[in-house]
Amino acid sequence: MIHKDLIKKMTLEEKASLMSGKDFWQTKDIERLGVNSIFLSDGPHGIRKQAVAADQLGLNEGIPATCFPTAATVANSWNEEMGEKIGEYLGEEAIAQKVNVVLGPGINMKRNPLCGINFEYFSEDPYLAGKMAAGYIRGIQSHGISACVKHFCVNNKEERRMAIDTIVDERTLREIYLTAFEIAVKEGKTKAIMSSYNMLNGTYTNENMHLMQDILREEWNYKGCVITDWGGSNDRIAGLVAGNELEMPTTAGETDEEIIQAIKSGKIKEQVLDDCVDRLLELILTTEEVYKKPHMEFDVEKHHRVTQKVAEESIVLLKNEENILPLKYDKKVAVIGDFAKEARYQGAGSSIVNPTILDHTLDCFDESGIVSIGYESGFERYGKKSKKKIDRACELAKQADVILLYIGLDEVTEVEGMDRKSMKIPENQIDLLNALQKVNPNVVAILSCGSAVEMPWIDKVKGLLHGYLGGQAGARAILRVLSGDVNPSGKLAETYPIHYEDTPSFYNFQDKEVSVEYREGIYIGYRYYDTADIDVLFPFGYGLSYTTFEYSDIEVNKEGVIFKLLNSGNIAGMEIAQMYVGCRSEEVFRPQKELKGFVKIFINAGESKTVTIPFDDKTFRYFNVKTNKWEIEAAEYKIMIGASSDDIRLVDTIFMEGTGAQLPYDKDKLPSYYSGKVNNVGTEEFENLIGCKVPVSTWDRTKPLGYNDTIAQCQYAKGLFAKLVFRIIVFLHWFLRKIGKRSTANIIMMSIYHLPFRGIARMTGGALNMKMLDGILMIVNGHFFKGLNHLIKEKSKMAKGKKS
């Protein structure tokens, strides 16, 4: 232990007190020993330190901070160095606001396009996500504070995220869902990790000994701190034993007392608590320098310029028919679409940043050199149809040479805590596009959203520029790409399927019951589409430029791959060269190709550069479930260099000596996995993969509701009062959407409907404890008066305890 002497001076009560928050955003202090509180703040793409007091929870407005592009946007830059630079600026602003721990970045995989918080995650590929995250972490922690990567792990669905059980095989867990976290720990050296809400194979992640001890602590040698997601603690003692140091937010001492009693009764040894206290103290004492430094304001204008540069490098040009872009200086453009007036620049939920400056498209035309003849909104932002708006937009479009059409997803469609209902953009926007295209075929669409969408309308546009969610300077950055001041260099960090039904998790994502089964295994994203030979709209790694690049002269050796890259166009540009590896053996099922390296390089027109992409410890490995280790199969491997996963320019091979491990699978029992056609795997085959029976995935309607059942399950409750409450919640949600209060309606679904009962206690900062919750559950289960009496008694006890 690092802080053994300090811990010896603490009472049992003091040690236990450190294991939960002081309020919603701070840790507890021990004044007599000089142990200070530290402040934690949301911050995946900007610091969201709430302007209200720290004892209030919610999505309150934060102190102004730079709103950088979201992780989904920055991932399209494929620029690790830029990720580190963003981290440095985030860290600088955290210091200015006296924040010790920045809650980010988020590095869960984009398993399915409908996950509501995909905008906060980097990619469908763990290698790309891990490398980008490591950059962020290094940048943030260069200021002496801590990053906190999240959500550990397999949190790939927002609905019922606090109660859902994720069923996934060990190899898929390691290769797909843990690799990014491994890179964040080993290369980024993150000081903190946030555990996810969900269960993993029947056990909550922060209580899962295999995850928290075998993998995180022993295999990865992680010495840092694990923090629960807010309200994410289930069994506090089980979490402590697993090595979950800090429970957030405060429980007003309730779980501290649980820890004290568990030690006094001999249920757990005090050494378990001491180890957790030691790791938390290390986080506190190594980040408290923020309070000793003189207050310094950050340079608002400078940070704004940086976020513009980040956005410029992350924008993806997806279509450029007839070279309609960049816009010629003599072209008159009509600006159409609600997102042009009110930019869609970040996601919605706990990561909302109050920007220091906010650029809007209509305010930036004068400096862009683009000649705008006018603006029309064309559509209602939240989907309501309006023929008048379309007619006015068409009249303007007739007068223009080119239409700039700003479309995408709104703030209440992509939101934390809820999943999208479909991959489509709103129908009223498509109606507008169809009408515009009839009066003027020169349509350039500018898309704003944080995840993949279907595009059955793509033949109606000549140009398509995807800005994703570009932060507070995203609008200006888009205009600079449209005008040609910036040559686009972003490439997609996720695949765009033609139809949602094409996705590998189509049959196993929108389940409404207890568990979600990852039956597609290791085949997510391009790993599936390429192996199963499924056509896609835009492949992983795809993006156009205003120039062209030629690849040649590949050489492969034991250290890596070397090749030449020529800018064969007439303007300077940046190219993202990607290295994929495919194993030619058929003994262990593998995707056709996997990303194992990449480089982004600037090349002047006509210039040629020699590029090297090294191999590393992840290039040839796979996880063997028989040996429970990473192994290398003795085989010939294809080394593929491409401009995208579907555009391979150079190929060579190399033979690698293997580790001699026994084969992990019976090929005859896993035909879908050996073929890669895994979009609808049967139960028996999935059970052969996971090595056990698939747990029952439906709620037990016959049992009384308990702590980990959700409010939504009140529809099955025995108590009439609970059923009435359920119907009121459903009605309120419907009514609020009907009158246009969509954000409030979403909060009801996120914060009430899908909340497990224990969350009522865990998220109220001690205002309602678990004993009072027992009374509520009695009411729910049909014992109204007994439960009400219990609730009142426990409320009275709490009040007396506070007075004393």
Side-chain angles (χ1 to χ4, degrees), residues 593-657:
K593 63 175 76 80
E594 296 181 274
L595 182 73
K596 297 295 182 178
F598 58 90
V599 63
K600 186 165 192 175
I601 187 166
F602 175 85
I603 309 178
N604 284 311
E607 184 184 10
S608 177
K609 287 188 176 181
T610 299
V611 181
T612 300
I613 302 179
F615 298 151
D616 62 21
D617 63 329
K618 297 168 187 65
T619 305
F620 302 103
R621 73 179 191 176
Y622 76 97
F623 192 82
N624 188 305
V625 294
K626 282 277 178 70
T627 64
N628 197 37
K629 290 194 310 186
W630 292 101
E631 306 284 3
I632 294 175
E633 194 177 359
E636 190 172 66
Y637 291 83
K638 282 176 68 176
I639 309 300
M640 295 163 271
I641 302 298
S644 78
S645 65
D646 197 44
D647 183 11
I648 301 301
R649 305 289 183 89
L650 303 170
V651 179
D652 203 345
T653 61
I654 186 171
F655 183 84
M656 296 300 297
E657 298 291 339

Side-chain angles (χ1 to χ4, degrees), residues 3-16 18 30 32-33 35 270 274 277 281:
H3 305 287
K4 189 174 182 180
D5 292 341
L6 180 56
I7 293 170
K8 277 182 180 179
K9 297 174 185 176
M10 293 181 185
T11 64
L12 174 59
E13 288 73 17
E14 285 173 330
K15 288 188 286 190
L18 291 174
I30 303 176
R32 74 178 187 88
L33 296 175
V35 177
E270 193 166 351
D274 289 350
V277 170
L281 283 173

Side-chain angles (χ1 to χ4, degrees), residues 726-771:
F726 170 77
R727 288 191 174 93
I728 290 170
I729 291 169
V730 171
F731 172 77
L732 275 174
H733 178 259
W734 171 85
F735 180 72
L736 288 166
R737 285 189 64 84
K738 194 76 174 173
I739 64 172
K741 302 286 186 182
R742 291 173 176 82
S743 294
T744 308
N746 282 351
I747 289 172
I748 285 176
M749 295 301 283
M750 176 177 72
S751 304
I752 301 175
Y753 190 83
H754 293 302
L755 187 72
F757 282 97
R758 65 177 165 81
I760 299 173
R762 299 301 193 216
M763 295 290 276
T764 52
L768 189 149
N769 62 27
M770 295 298 281
K771 289 181 180 178

